[in-house]
């Protein structure tokens, strides 16, 4: 908070007022700051914010301009002596050497890709001091919500330090520098301005942002927390997960969509509960409430006089039919100026009703977290919930088995409802995290102080470890979603592959792209591999007759013999029309996250087809594991 306060102050301060005394004071504190960019030191006009850092060991102030240019201002060390300066050519050569070394040797621990190809490090991310003894490297990450961030920074530091020393020993002109040469590499990380993860996957990002509206245009991910039974601790998990994600470096928002019984005002009571209008002119939006780094909104925080049923903390129950529920959900989602968020957590009501369907229709969610208890009834409903969200294109990233066990006074761990029931009942493809029956969690909830925010030193270690594990699982999956790097999926090959090739071409199911050709009203499917691509045509009736999840042809499907709708045909004698089959006439195709594509048919049906279904419909044959080996 102290650094952020200084950054806010520095952003509005003219550079001419940033005297050497200011720099020295900040250097002694070892603080980073945000400063206005300008053409020179002492400019009276602040144009565009850029990022600067002060090295606590050397006193160098390094700033990056958003335009790509950069500069280096140096406070001479108090014991400075004559040093050897690097020529611009030598500095450029060193920058290239460092960039190549980092590209070859530093891979992100989660994505398994080098940081240069990811766009996190480039030539403009490296600044070298005039004497070459200090190298400042800036990692531009999409989010600081990275479980292995410190490990990644250390890898960059080690590689850059070694490369710097090797370069110094190889250059004869530089070997004449001081014998007391000590390379100092300082690696910092910043989060770039977020954008919806779907903007990387669609052909027209501008249209996507227009559909989301100004309130959600800078929200990278939307994460649903759901349960199919009430009373399993879903809201408690959602609140603590949000604060844990914020603690780990994320920009987090939390929206309570349990319209019939808002829980957030009972679990979190901010000092300032006032909901204010957004400053965006003509938007009619509101700001969420910010509390300890998390932006909150709930119908329970809304003034009772707003006219919305169920608003206010002490108001009665909300009695709303489906259309009104959908309207209120859309207003809370898109009528709120959320600002820049890495993840917006949605606390959904229990069940699979109007709210869930409305959210899935309004947004492309990155994933979901299911909350259950070990009872057989709850786990069976959880399995159905996982299947429902998957059919809507939303993968379940983790399953929380709440109230799974308890620790007795003697130190024993007991499972009163059975161990691992959620995993045994069909959720074995998803991370499962056990939470104990916890007095500390219950006391924190009743005192309106979330456990992950209060963080008591004793009595809640198991709970805090479980929340930390859950947050890491979620952040890892969101990072993979951001770059389209999900778990290994199946591959397909085609019988009509190029016969000249010694081995059949294999294509990744994850690369499937579906388009609707307006000329012939048929589907075009494209699949890609490192060696090339393949394009196939699919008739609408063929796709409609398949199981949207597995891709298998449905026996006795009524759609197989139907033909798509065609326009009117005029003749000299009469006006006739050919057979019309709106059930096999596609109208629109939309991508549904990393799961597949939604096809809207002329008869009003909207069906989400998985990528494996589309691959099979195009004639693809699943490659067995033995062939992969």
């Amino acid at each position: 908070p102290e650094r952020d306060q200084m950054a806010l102050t520095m952003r509005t301060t003219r550079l001419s007022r940033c005297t050497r005394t200011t720099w020295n004071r900040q250097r002694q504190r070892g603080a980073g700051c945000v400063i206005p960019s300008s053409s020179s030191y002492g400019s009276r006009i602040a144009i565009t914010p850029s990022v600067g850092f002060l090295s606590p060991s050397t006193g160098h102030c390094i700033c990056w301009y958003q335009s790509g240019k950069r500069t280096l201002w140096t406070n001479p060390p108090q014991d400075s002596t004559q040093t050897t300066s690097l020529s611009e050519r030598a500095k450029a050569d060193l920058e290239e050497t460092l960039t190549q070394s980092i590209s070859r040797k530093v891979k992100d621990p989660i994505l398994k890709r080098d940081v240069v190809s990811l766009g996190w490090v480039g030539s403009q991310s490296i600044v070298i001091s005039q004497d070459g003894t200090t190298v400042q490297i800036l990692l531009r990450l999409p989010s600081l919500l990275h479980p292995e961030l410190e490990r990644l920074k250390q890898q960059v530091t080690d590689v850059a330090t070694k490369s710097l020393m090797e370069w110094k020993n190889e250059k004869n002109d530089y070997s004449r520098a001081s014998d007391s040469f000590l390379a100092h590499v300082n690696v910092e990380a910043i989060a770039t301005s977020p954008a919806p993860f779907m903007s990387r996957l669609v052909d027209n990002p501008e249209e996507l942002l227009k559909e989301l509206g100004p309130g959600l245009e800078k929200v990278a991910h939307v994460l649903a927390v759901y349960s199919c039974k009430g009373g399993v601790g879903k809201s408690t998990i959602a609140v603590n997960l949000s604060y844990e994600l914020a603690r780990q470096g994320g920009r987090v928002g939390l929206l309570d969509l349990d319209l019939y019984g808002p829980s957030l005002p009972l679990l979190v009571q901010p000092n300032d509960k006032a909901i204010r209008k957004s400053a965006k002119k003509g938007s009619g939006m509101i700001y969420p409430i910010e509390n300890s780094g998390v932006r909150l909104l709930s119908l329970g925080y809304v003034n009772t006089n707003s006219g919305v049923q169920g608003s206010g903390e002490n108001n009665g129950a909300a009695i709303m039919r489906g259309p009104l529920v959908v309207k209120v959900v859309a207003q809370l989602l898109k009528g709120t100026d959320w600002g820049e968020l890495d993840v917006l957590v949605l606390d959904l009501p229990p069940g699979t009703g109007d709210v869930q369907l409305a959210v899935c229709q309004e947004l492309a969610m990155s994933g979901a977290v299911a909350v259950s208890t070990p009872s057989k009834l709850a786990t069976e409903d959880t399995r159905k919930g996982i299947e429902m969200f998957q059919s809507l294109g939303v993968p379940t990233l983790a399953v929380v088995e709440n109230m799974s066990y308890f620790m007795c006074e003697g130190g024993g761990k007991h499972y009163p409802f059975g161990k691992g029931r959620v995993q045994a009942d069909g959720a074995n493809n998803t991370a499962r995290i056990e939470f104990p029956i916890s007095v500390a969690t219950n006391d924190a909830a009743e005192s309106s102080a979330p456990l992950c925010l209060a963080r008591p030193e004793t009595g809640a270690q198991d709970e805090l470890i479980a929340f930390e594990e859950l947050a890491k699982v979620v952040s890892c999956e969101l990072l993979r979603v951001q770059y389209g790097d999900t778990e290994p999926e199946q591959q397909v090959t085609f019988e009509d592959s190029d016969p000249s090739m010694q081995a059949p071409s294999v294509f990744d199911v994850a690369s499937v792209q579906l388009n609707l050709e307006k000329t012939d009203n048929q589907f075009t499917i494209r699949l890609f591999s490192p060696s090339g691509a393949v394009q196939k045509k699919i008739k609408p009736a063929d796709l409609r007759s398949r199981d949207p999840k597995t891709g298998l042809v449905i026996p006795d499907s009524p759609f197989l013999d139907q033909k798509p709708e065609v326009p009117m045909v005029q003749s000299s004698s009469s006006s006739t029309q050919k057979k019309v089959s709106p059930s096999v006439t596609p109208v629109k195709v939309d991508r549904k996250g990393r799961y597949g594509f939604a096809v809207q048919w002329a008869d009003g049906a909207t069906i989400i087809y998985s990528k494996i279904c589309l691959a099979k419909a195009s004639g693809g044959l699943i490659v067995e594991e033995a062939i992969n080996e």
Side-chain angles (χ1 to χ4, degrees), residues 203-224:
D203 297 329
N204 191 353
E206 292 78 12
E207 183 179 349
L208 172 66
L209 295 179
K210 184 178 180 180
E211 291 179 0
L212 291 175
L216 294 170
E217 63 182 2
K218 293 186 178 180
V219 176
H221 299 282
V222 178
L223 177 75

Side-chain angles (χ1 to χ4, degrees), residues 243 268-276 287-292 294-297 301 313:
Y243 279 99
V268 183
Q269 294 187 358
N271 294 327
D272 184 2
K273 301 179 183 180
I275 295 181
R276 297 173 174 84
Y287 285 124
I289 300 170
E290 188 153 354
N291 181 68
S292 300
V294 177
R295 297 170 188 174
L296 310 171
L297 190 63
Y301 291 137
E313 291 187 43

Side-chain angles (χ1 to χ4, degrees), residues 426-555:
N428 53 353
N429 292 328
T430 308
R432 181 180 64 89
I433 301 175
E434 298 177 350
F435 278 75
I437 300 173
S438 171
V439 175
T441 303
N442 182 70
D443 292 344
E446 292 192 351
S447 61
S448 302
L451 188 69
C452 288
L453 182 60
R455 306 193 69 81
E457 296 182 358
T458 59
Q461 295 308 307
D462 290 343
E463 294 86 336
L464 293 176
I465 290 174
F467 279 116
E468 182 178 355
E469 181 184 356
L470 175 61
K472 286 183 176 180
V473 169
V474 168
S475 56
C476 281
E477 291 300 322
L478 294 182
L479 185 62
R480 292 190 178 105
V481 169
Q482 185 80 14
Y483 287 90
D485 187 10
T486 57
E487 292 296 324
E489 295 195 38
Q490 292 174 301
Q491 295 177 314
V492 294
T493 186
F494 294 88
E495 291 182 340
D496 55 353
S497 299
D498 189 351
S500 63
M501 300 182 64
Q502 295 181 355
S505 298
V506 176
F507 302 91
D508 295 328
V509 173
S511 69
V512 166
Q513 293 184 0
L514 178 67
N515 294 290
L516 177 61
E517 301 295 336
K518 296 298 183 181
T519 55
D520 56 5
N521 219 30
Q522 292 191 2
F523 296 107
T524 299
I525 287 186
R526 297 182 180 90
L527 293 99
F528 299 86
S529 72
S531 59
V534 65
Q535 178 173 303
K536 299 288 184 178
K537 287 278 191 178
I538 300 181
K539 295 180 179 180
D542 185 17
L543 184 61
R544 188 71 190 266
S545 63
R546 291 179 179 267
D547 184 300
K549 182 178 179 181
T550 64
L552 299 176
V553 176
I554 301 174

Side-chain angles (χ1 to χ4, degrees), residues 1 75 103 135 147 183-184 252 316 323 337 351 378 386 389 411 476 485 543 557 573 582:
N75 290 329
S103 177
V135 175
H184 175 75
V252 183
D337 187 357
I386 293 174
F389 274 94
C476 281
D485 187 10
L543 184 61
S557 172
S573 58

Side-chain angles (χ1 to χ4, degrees), residues 352-385:
T352 56
D354 294 325
V355 174
Q356 287 82 353
L357 294 176
V359 168
C360 292
Q361 291 172 357
E362 291 285 342
L363 303 173
M365 289 190 289
S366 302
V369 173
V371 181
S372 178
T373 58
S375 69
K376 185 175 181 180
L377 182 60
T379 54
E380 178 62 23
D381 287 340
T382 300
R383 181 186 62 80
K384 295 177 182 178

